[in-house]
Amino acid sequence: MIFSVLIVSALLCHDGCSTVSAYSFPPRDVPKRNEYSVNRRAALSQIALVSSTPCLLLPAYAAENILEARLQENSIDPPPYGMEATDTDIFYPSYFLGSWAAVSKTLDIQAPCGFQLFTGGKAGFDSAVKKEVIEGDVLRYKARFITQSRGDDASTSYIAADREFNAIQIAKAAMGGYSVVDVPIATPNRFSCVLGPQSDGSNLICVDIIAIARKSETLSDNKFACSEVVRQIISPATRSNPNNAPVSPLSVKEIETISVYSKTDDDKIQCRQRTATYLVPSQTDPIAFKKWQLSQGKSVDIRCYDVIYTRA
């Protein structure tokens, strides 16, 4: 589901994730939830609060592994893991197999490096917090996990997220039924799609998500943690024409998504999720390059989510 989370990110911000927690989160005094989908523009503005408080309340016991520790500590440092030869995909436990109804709720949005490093500034951040956190917007979508074969050996298989199906379902929930124009690539290491706006077919954007690091850990029979770090490239979608001049991307970022899943019974999985966004140096945009320098390699955008999966 990690690539699907990043599709939501692209849908929402043209720039730069969801879960019901096994731990307790800080209570919020919020009005009654408006259960309608977030749109692309609403999440364009999720940037910019300097916060010294952790994203999650830590439990009394220590984290059991690297991924859970990063999530609990709300680390803003770059991920310490990479991509091993065996990390060809996320291998989910067998209890994920099948179709699910997912409900995602944003718990917190933070800007560890300050307003100046965020698209949208404080106004954008305030808008995102109001809509996603205070008003309690939720995203409801279908999810599916399927059996995949390992290479040429058809007798060896594993459980994987159905990337194309999940991404399309999330896009429909966030932007409407005709939001996904094309999905030319859907592999573990690269996912590409063309998205359209809610109103008409103009201003199409191309979203490329390229995996650059991956890690998973089985914590117990009913608890599983996984993470992917990807480079997300959002560009104007142009017709294939060799005579067209090259088009610069609208946004290039690297995003770490950590998910810690807890199986509560055969028909329910709870997930704690966190995304951390890192800026990428630009050779063509001096402002983007300066922002990357100011970030000093730290995360500039952290978001925490609750997601619950109920078997469909």
Side-chain angles (χ1 to χ4, degrees):
M1 291 303 295
I2 291 174
F3 272 44
S4 298
V5 166
L6 294 163
I7 290 298
V8 172
S9 170
L11 296 173
L12 299 180
C13 38
H14 250 33
D15 212 70
C17 18
S18 267
T19 311
V20 168
S21 171
Y23 298 141
S24 298
F25 290 83
R28 293 182 181 271
D29 183 16
V30 299
K32 185 177 180 181
R33 222 175 245 194
N34 297 318
E35 296 185 353
Y36 54 88
S37 302
V38 294
N39 58 44
R40 187 167 69 187
R41 181 177 178 182
L44 216 170
S45 50
Q46 41 194 320
I47 305 187
L49 177 67
V50 179
S51 175
S52 59
T53 58
C55 190
L56 305 173
L57 290 179
L58 299 182
Y61 55 87
E64 300 170 339
N65 63 93
I66 292 174
L67 298 180
E68 194 170 33
R70 283 182 63 79
L71 185 148
Q72 291 175 3
E73 296 165 4
N74 201 25
S75 175
I76 65 174
D77 293 326
Y81 51 90
M83 184 84 80
E84 302 295 334
T86 55
D87 296 332
T88 55
D89 203 346
I90 298 292
F91 305 114
Y92 289 89
S94 59
Y95 53 78
F96 276 81
L97 183 63
S99 298
W100 302 82
V103 179
S104 172
K105 172 72 172 71
T106 306
L107 297 174
D108 200 8
I109 301 174
Q110 299 177 6
C113 292
F115 295 111
Q116 69 274 22
L117 298 186
F118 293 90
T119 303
K122 187 178 187 303
F125 172 82
D126 288 344
S127 176
V129 169
K130 180 177 183 296
K131 186 172 181 62
E132 297 182 51
V133 181
I134 297 176
E135 293 182 355
D137 280 10
V138 298
L139 190 68
R140 298 178 181 274
Y141 56 94
K142 298 176 183 178
R144 190 164 69 191
F145 294 82
I146 59 177
T147 301
Q148 296 274 61
S149 62
R150 294 177 184 250
D152 297 331
D153 187 358
S155 64
T156 305
S157 61
Y158 65 96
I159 307 303
D162 188 337
R163 298 173 188 272
E164 181 172 355
F165 175 86
N166 295 340
I168 290 175
Q169 293 302 314
I170 289 178
K172 286 181 178 180
M175 293 176 60
Y178 300 99
S179 53
V180 179
V181 178
D182 189 21
V183 181
I185 302 174
T187 69
N189 291 333
R190 182 176 178 183
F191 184 93
S192 296
C193 65
V194 177
L195 302 175
Q198 297 183 34
S199 56
D200 55 47
S202 62
N203 300 320
L204 301 179
I205 62 168
C206 181
V207 181
D208 287 293
I209 300 170
I210 303 168
I212 58 177
R214 181 180 287 135
K215 186 174 181 61
S216 62
E217 295 174 330
T218 300
L219 308 180
S220 70
D221 290 343
N222 296 319
K223 193 173 184 181
F224 176 74
C226 62
S227 177
E228 282 185 337
V229 182
V230 304
R231 178 161 290 195
Q232 181 192 74
I233 305 170
I234 302 175
S235 307
T238 58
R239 296 181 182 276
S240 180
N241 186 337
N243 296 321
N244 286 342
V247 178
S248 298
L250 300 171
S251 171
V252 181
K253 292 186 176 182
E254 291 183 356
I255 304 173
E256 177 192 39
T257 302
I258 298 175
S259 301
V260 178
Y261 299 93
S262 296
K263 174 188 173 185
T264 59
D265 58 47
D266 290 342
D267 297 322
K268 184 178 179 180
I269 298 174
Q270 295 177 331
C271 175
R272 291 170 296 132
Q273 195 169 74
R274 190 196 81 144
T275 58
T277 300
Y278 300 85
L279 300 181
V280 175
S282 172
Q283 296 181 346
T284 59
D285 186 339
I287 295 178
F289 184 81
K290 181 62 176 179
K291 287 185 175 182
W292 169 74
Q293 288 182 313
L294 292 172
S295 74
Q296 298 182 351
K298 306 295 186 181
S299 173
V300 298
D301 179 354
I302 290 178
R303 304 172 198 177
C304 299
Y305 303 83
D306 266 1
V307 183
I308 186 165
Y309 297 88
T310 303
R311 193 172 294 280

